[in-house]
């Protein structure tokens, strides 16, 4: 039976097996937990029945949820913000964040063991120390080696850079500059790391006449030594200066890295783990309607597991005509590695927010799905007066066929 399931998974990945249309995962919803003291800009990682949450609250704080214990920790100083977290196959952690470094903003990291104990001191990721380094993105391989990417601004010039580290925290050489193309601004979208190598995604933004924007999504693929696998893959719309896809995330799987892009549609491009070449065409998994004065929907975050599945999280903004203000909600949907919907859309938040929620999410191979977000209260709208603060919630996505 195991061999049959494995064969079906491989055939589905290659597009040679037509899957039944109505085999959807069941969604089991856990209770919301409001983190005491509040916070913002969370990061989430999970492995099996262990998960970890980090957030920005005066410094970077974290909470590790293990089967028989909960461990709290803090990293960085008072300027630490925008944290990211990832786990290796042993459950060891890496936390990355942005903080002041005396010359502007810099990128820092610290490693923790699976029990929450620190491994060594915090370390600076970027050198030399000049200009501003912001918006860290982090990926960890199963063996504990890791890659951190960031946006780098020196003397007014934008660049995307990454640094590679061994499992014991030693940096391999100097940070690498990505082969960015055109555009006035470059925004990092994600870093995915596996045993085979890593992938980095970013969005190149060019301002057109009249203030319109032209977006191009880019994904660079590299082997484990940092050697580029082919040229940078770029994706844009045929019509110039009409928006375009932005990188929503770069994820890793047993079947190679994948880029998730959001524009007028949500799409996924898979790449070979060996050659880095594109695997088939980019797959459109959902359409996004144009925003109106009453309603708008955007991709807020994505999460993936090693089986190649992806959960897309949308933030909706809806006008409350009675209160003459907007409220914000989060919904999600699971997609299999072949790009088909594998769950109905399901709501994440139990109560609406009066502002943007900045969610982060993680998905495990066993179907555990963990989401954190900020909920803002608006006393002027009774519907938005429920438990403000940093909220954490777990789900179980179960009953999906063929393991993917």
């Amino acid at each position: 039976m195991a061999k049959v399931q494995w064969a079906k998974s491989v055939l589905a990945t290659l597009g040679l097996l037509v899957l039944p249309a109505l085999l959807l995962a069941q969604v089991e919803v856990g209770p919301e937990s409001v983190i005491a003291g509040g916070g913002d800009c969370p990061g989430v990682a999970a492995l099996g029945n262990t998960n970890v949450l980090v957030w920005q609250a005066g410094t970077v704080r974290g909470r590790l949820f293990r089967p028989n214990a909960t461990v709290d920790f803090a990293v960085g100083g008072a300027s630490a913000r925008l944290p990211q977290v990832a786990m290796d196959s042993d459950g060891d952690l890496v936390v990355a964040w942005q903080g002041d470094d005396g010359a502007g903003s810099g990128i820092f990291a610290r490693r923790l063991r699976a029990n929450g104990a620190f491994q060594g001191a915090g370390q600076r990721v970027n050198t030399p120390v000049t200009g501003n380094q912001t918006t860290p993105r982090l990926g960890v391989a199963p063996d504990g080696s890791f890659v951190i990417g960031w946006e780098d601004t020196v003397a007014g010039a934008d660049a995307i850079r990454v640094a590679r580290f061994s499992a014991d925290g030693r940096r391999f050489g100097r940070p690498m500059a990505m082969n960015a193309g055109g555009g006035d601004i470059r925004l990092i979208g994600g870093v995915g790391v596996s045993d085979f190598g890593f992938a980095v995604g970013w969005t190149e933004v060019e301002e057109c006449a009249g203030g319109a924007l032209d977006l191009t999504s880019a994904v660079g693929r590299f082997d484990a030594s940092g050697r580029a696998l082919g040229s940078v893959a770029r994706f844009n719309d045929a019509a110039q200066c009409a928006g375009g896809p932005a990188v929503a995330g770069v994820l890793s799987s047993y079947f190679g890295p994948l880029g998730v892009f959001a524009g007028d549609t949500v799409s996924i491009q898979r790449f070979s783990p060996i050659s880095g070449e594109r695997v088939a065409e980019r797959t459109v998994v959902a359409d996004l309607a144009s925003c109106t004065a009453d309603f708008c929907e955007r991709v807020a975050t994505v999460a993936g597991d090693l089986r190649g599945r992806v959960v897309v999280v949308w933030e909706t903004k809806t006008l409350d005509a009675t209160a003459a203000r907007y409220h914000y909600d989060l919904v999600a949907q699971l997609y299999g590695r072949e790009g088909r919907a594998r769950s109905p859309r399901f709501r994440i938040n139990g109560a609406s927010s009066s502002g943007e929620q900045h969610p982060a999410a993680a998905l495990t191979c066993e179907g555990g799905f963990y989401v954190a977000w900020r909920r803002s209260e608006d006393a002027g709208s009774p519907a938005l007066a429920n438990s403000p603060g940093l909220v954490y919630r777990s789900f179980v996505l179960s009953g999906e066929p063929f393991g993917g």
Side-chain angles (χ1 to χ4, degrees):
M1 179 61 69
K3 289 184 177 180
V4 172
Q5 291 178 333
W6 174 84
K8 288 180 176 179
S9 297
V10 172
L11 289 172
T13 302
L14 297 176
L16 300 177
L17 177 66
V18 178
L19 297 176
L22 298 177
L23 295 177
L24 299 180
Q26 299 174 356
V27 181
E28 302 174 30
V29 183
E32 289 187 350
S33 298
V34 179
I35 304 299
D40 198 1
C41 302
V44 182
L47 175 73
N49 56 5
T50 298
N51 58 94
V52 60
L53 166 67
V54 295
W55 67 94
Q56 169 185 317
T59 185
V60 169
R61 303 190 181 276
R63 182 164 295 171
L64 176 63
F65 299 90
R66 304 177 67 205
N68 299 313
T70 299
V71 181
D72 288 340
F73 60 89
V75 296
S79 69
R81 54 197 183 274
L82 302 181
Q84 297 273 290
V85 64
M87 305 175 76
D88 68 14
S89 61
D90 292 328
D92 292 339
L93 312 174
V94 179
V95 181
W97 67 92
Q98 173 187 326
D100 296 342
D101 63 5
S105 295
I107 306 299
F108 301 84
R110 194 164 189 184
R111 297 175 298 119
L112 294 86
R113 299 189 186 280
N115 62 5
F118 288 116
Q119 295 192 75
Q123 60 192 113
R124 181 190 301 279
V125 172
N126 63 286
T127 54
V129 182
T130 183
N132 287 304
Q133 291 76 40
T134 61
T135 321
R137 293 292 181 265
L138 167 67
V140 175
D143 68 0
S145 59
F146 58 99
V147 177
I148 300 176
W150 65 88
E151 298 168 12
D152 200 317
T153 304
V154 178
D158 291 331
I160 302 296
R161 299 186 190 277
V162 301
R164 300 164 44 240
F165 295 84
S166 64
D168 61 4
R170 290 178 296 111
R171 196 180 74 187
F172 294 116
R174 295 172 64 87
M176 304 164 50
M178 297 296 96
N179 183 17
D184 304 304
I185 302 172
R186 298 173 181 89
L187 306 174
I188 193 163
V191 174
V193 186
S194 71
D195 288 329
F196 297 99
F198 62 97
V200 183
W202 64 91
T203 305
E204 299 167 354
V205 183
E206 185 171 357
E207 186 172 357
C208 304
L213 298 178
D214 189 54
L215 306 184
T216 299
S217 290
V219 180
R221 292 89 58 224
F222 304 84
D223 67 14
S225 71
R227 180 179 64 89
L229 297 175
S231 59
V232 173
R234 287 187 164 83
F235 309 90
N236 52 26
D237 291 342
Q240 291 186 333
C241 301
V247 177
V250 177
L251 308 171
S252 293
S253 77
Y254 294 130
F255 303 92
L258 56 140
V260 184
F261 312 100
D264 295 333
T265 64
V266 181
S267 60
I268 298 173
Q269 177 66 63
R270 302 181 183 276
F271 300 92
S272 165
I274 305 300
S275 67
E277 295 180 352
R278 304 184 197 193
V279 177
E281 294 296 320
R282 185 161 49 115
T283 302
V284 174
V285 300
D287 293 319
L288 291 178
S290 299
C291 292
T292 68
D294 298 326
F295 181 81
C296 190
E297 180 178 69
R298 68 178 185 88
V299 175
T301 191
V302 298
D305 67 5
L306 292 175
R307 292 159 56 180
R309 303 180 303 171
V310 177
V311 175
V312 178
V313 178
W314 287 271
E315 181 172 65
T316 63
K317 175 183 175 184
T318 307
L319 178 65
D320 181 346
T322 302
R325 66 195 71 206
Y326 289 99
H327 62 83
Y328 295 78
D329 296 289
L330 298 172
V331 295
Q333 190 164 24
L334 171 70
Y335 296 90
R337 58 177 173 260
E338 81 293 339
R340 299 183 67 181
R342 290 301 190 89
S343 80
R345 276 201 178 195
F346 57 96
R347 179 164 169 156
I348 290 175
N349 55 323
S352 299
S353 172
S354 64
E356 294 183 355
Q357 297 158 100
H358 307 157
L363 176 68
T364 71
C365 291
E366 297 81 7
F369 179 55
Y370 304 87
V371 191
W373 68 96
R374 180 191 68 173
R375 182 160 56 213
S376 303
E377 180 182 56
D378 189 335
S381 177
L384 303 179
N386 292 296
S387 301
L390 184 69
V391 188
Y392 196 44
R393 194 172 205 176
S394 64
F395 300 78
V396 177
L397 308 179
S398 63
E400 193 200 0
F402 305 153

